[in-house]
Amino acid sequence: MASRFDVRDARGEDPERSLPHALALTLASALVWGVAHLVTGRRIVGALLVGAFVLLGAAAAVAGLFFRPRLMELAVQPAWLSGTAGGILAIGLVWVTVVIRSYQLVRPGALSLGKSTAGGVAVTVLCFAVAVPVSWGAYNTYVYRDALTSIFQTGGGNGRPVNTKDPWNGQRRVNVLLLGGDAAANRQGVRTDSMTLASVDTKTGDTVLLSLPRNLESIPMPAGPARDRFPYGFTGDGGGTPGLLNEVYQYAEDHPDLVPGARKNQRGPELLKATISGILNQPVDYYILVDMFGFADIVDAMGGVRLKITEPIPFGQRGEVLQPGNRVLKGKEALWYGRSRTLSSDYARMGRQKCLLAAIAKQADPQTVLTRFDKLAAATKRAISTDIPQELLPAFVSLSSKVKDGSRIDSLQFVPPLISTGNPDFALIRKLTARAIAGERAQASASPSPTGTKTRPAAGASPSPSPSPSPSTKPVSLDEACPH
């Protein structure tokens, strides 16, 4: 048998007219490995190639259909990502080799220069059609791994050992402090203008979001150097730092002696975690800090975020306005939507920020992530810092799937008139926190406000964040709180 499939000898046809047939067989081999080998009588090799191709496809289908949760857990493990990138490249190399060898087997024996060139170009294009998506997949896997290892460090930043067999150390709930850092060129350091403790039930995924206002005063400090310096509550340095909750992070960074043993960029998170833990009387396990200006880059990388705006919101420094209606906001517009206090208040802004984050979470679908992956990864690296260790990422992925699959997400904001920011009732804050986490749904009238008057439940509140929020003492579902 000839080393090359001779169409003229087999069929008595003119080889000048056999090139389309050869290219068709090459294309078929690119779609299903081994077709050209089988046609040319190389049955053993052809059968092996077809079997390998079918096995790979079946394995991918079965994994996607029946083992998706496990795949999601593996997708946050750097070692598996490295292996995946290498595997993708290996498959791509085999694929291109199959295409080239298939054409060699079915190519007519005598072609004119023009036909030969046309055939070579066609096969080259076909090889690129295989190589480009394979290379794209391997590259994005590498980019993803790089972003993952840049944001999440091995062992985390809290120095505690990680038990992957019991990731929550027997705890029924895991508490993650979500921070929005408002750094800018005209401001020294970072001010944590958004502070929310997400308390998640590790069994059910039910979540309570407990939000503290940026301007909370007279904050009790944790035992140790911080309380020794501020025995009667945090007062800052005076002047530009009057002693608000959003100053604790940067104050710790500027005063290393308050958090002995902590490195730069860890002092702020550690002291703020301990401070908020004391305010709410709840442990704070981990934190995630999102730089608000980097957050705008994330929104742009997503292609914008869809939101329903219920009232005009001033935007920018030129008198622009975000008009009511269903809008797709770009990064800077989304940033202003979440930060603007003009004709509004800190507390209305807190509500908008939660709705904005909820909208982004819902719209970060697989198609958006895949098509804009490199931009999203780069923006996320710039915008996010955390002490969640790499080893716990599979457990967090599993937990997040519970949160998305129908679990309830409630929100409770400690804002006026429920809580006076200038003279906070910390005993009431702790009481309401315990009640919210316990899942109680007591009527608001059962708990007096700091002024001694009865308050109304949030069920009758407007679905849009308002300048004067209802003094609700029970958590409200985000689906109820955010306009649709």
Side-chain angles (χ1 to χ4, degrees):
M1 181 179 291
S3 61
R4 192 167 57 188
F5 184 57
D6 193 336
V7 180
R8 179 184 56 192
D9 291 343
R11 300 188 178 186
E13 296 177 357
D14 184 351
E16 290 285 330
R17 293 180 297 172
S18 302
L19 179 61
H21 182 65
L23 292 177
L25 287 174
T26 304
L27 176 61
S29 294
L31 298 176
V32 179
W33 298 352
V35 170
H37 288 73
L38 292 175
V39 170
T40 57
R42 292 162 173 80
R43 296 179 181 177
I44 296 178
V45 176
L48 289 174
L49 287 173
V50 171
F53 186 82
V54 171
L55 184 62
L56 285 172
V62 169
L65 290 174
F66 301 105
F67 298 98
R68 186 173 181 180
R70 179 57 178 162
L71 289 178
M72 295 297 293
E73 294 176 13
L74 294 177
V76 291
Q77 298 183 38
W80 278 92
L81 292 173
S82 297
T84 300
I88 292 174
L89 289 175
I91 291 173
L93 181 60
V94 171
W95 208 323
V96 170
T97 301
V98 168
V99 171
I100 294 173
R101 181 56 181 160
S102 297
Y103 181 66
Q104 289 176 342
L105 293 175
V106 299
R107 183 181 60 190
L111 290 175
S112 65
L113 179 61
K115 293 282 187 178
S116 180
T117 302
V121 170
V123 173
T124 300
V125 171
L126 189 56
C127 289
F128 270 104
V130 171
V132 168
V134 168
S135 300
W136 179 84
Y139 169 74
N140 277 337
T141 303
Y142 171 78
V143 169
Y144 172 51
R145 182 190 181 281
D146 177 63
L148 195 72
T149 55
S150 296
I151 297 171
F152 301 94
Q153 305 300 314
T154 301
N158 52 28
R160 293 183 298 181
V162 178
N163 182 0
T164 55
K165 294 182 179 180
D166 182 15
W168 314 125
N169 294 319
Q171 299 173 193
R172 179 59 189 263
R173 308 190 72 88
V174 60
N175 296 333
V176 181
L177 181 59
L178 309 177
L179 304 172
D182 198 358
N186 60 351
R187 172 182 285 183
Q188 183 179 1
V190 176
R191 299 295 184 272
T192 53
D193 282 352
S194 175
M195 291 162 284
T196 298
L197 186 71
S199 181
V200 187
D201 189 306
T202 58
K203 301 296 184 183
T204 66
D206 288 341
T207 302
V208 178
L209 302 178
L210 304 161
S211 298
L212 293 167
R214 58 182 286 277
N215 57 340
L216 202 65
E217 299 181 43
S218 304
I219 307 144
M221 302 304 287
R227 185 177 297 175
D228 293 342
R229 182 168 300 183
F230 301 106
Y232 305 109
F234 182 64
T235 57
D237 279 332
T241 55
L244 307 181
L245 181 59
N246 72 335
E247 300 165 13
V248 171
Y249 183 103
Q250 189 59 42
Y251 190 91
E253 289 294 330
D254 295 338
H255 299 81
D257 55 308
L258 258 62
V259 192
R263 300 191 303 270
K264 183 179 181 182
N265 296 326
Q266 289 185 354
R267 297 189 287 264
E270 287 303 310
L271 183 58
L272 187 57
K273 284 167 59 179
T275 301
I276 290 180
S277 176
I279 293 173
L280 300 176
N281 195 31
Q282 296 292 324
V284 178
D285 300 300
Y286 305 101
Y287 84 94
I288 300 175
L289 171 64
V290 180
D291 175 77
M292 296 306 291
F293 288 89
F295 168 81
D297 294 335
I298 294 177
V299 173
D300 281 332
M302 287 180 56
V305 58
R306 297 184 301 276
L307 277 173
K308 182 176 182 179
I309 300 176
T310 58
E311 56 188 2
I313 297 175
F315 163 56
Q317 305 292 340
R318 302 178 181 177
E320 300 172 88
V321 175
L322 297 175
Q323 297 294 345
N326 293 309
R327 302 282 306 279
V328 176
L329 303 184
K330 297 180 181 178
K332 289 184 178 180
E333 293 172 331
L335 186 60
W336 276 89
Y337 174 84
R339 295 179 67 242
S340 178
R341 290 194 297 267
T342 306
L343 305 178
S344 182
S345 69
D346 271 340
Y347 318 120
R349 181 173 74 161
M350 289 168 63
R352 289 199 305 270
Q353 287 172 354
K354 286 183 180 55
C355 294
L356 179 60
L357 291 174
I360 290 173
K362 289 181 179 179
Q363 294 168 40
D365 55 84
Q367 180 179 353
T368 298
V369 172
L370 286 175
T371 56
R372 301 173 179 271
F373 192 81
D374 53 344
K375 293 181 180 179
L376 276 169
T380 302
K381 284 174 60 177
R382 294 192 299 269
I384 294 180
S385 59
T386 182
D387 64 351
I388 295 176
Q390 287 181 14
E391 294 87 346
L392 279 187
L393 290 179
F396 268 104
V397 167
S398 178
L399 184 60
S400 69
S401 66
K402 295 179 183 178
V403 174
K404 289 184 178 180
D405 292 342
S407 296
R408 184 177 178 92
I409 302 178
D410 292 335
S411 176
L412 179 59
Q413 300 185 59
F414 297 109
V415 298
L418 175 62
I419 297 297
S420 168
T421 57
N423 185 26
D425 186 340
F426 292 106
L428 178 61
I429 290 176
R430 293 169 188 137
K431 179 180 179 179
L432 296 179
T433 295
R435 177 179 297 172
I437 289 178
E440 297 178 13
R441 295 290 182 266
Q443 292 294 324
S445 59
S447 297
S449 70
T451 60
T453 60
K454 293 184 178 182
T455 58
R456 295 177 297 172
S462 169
S464 173
S466 61
S468 299
S470 173
S472 174
T473 62
K474 72 173 185 177
V476 180
S477 167
L478 279 184
D479 286 337
E480 299 171 0
C482 298
H484 298 287

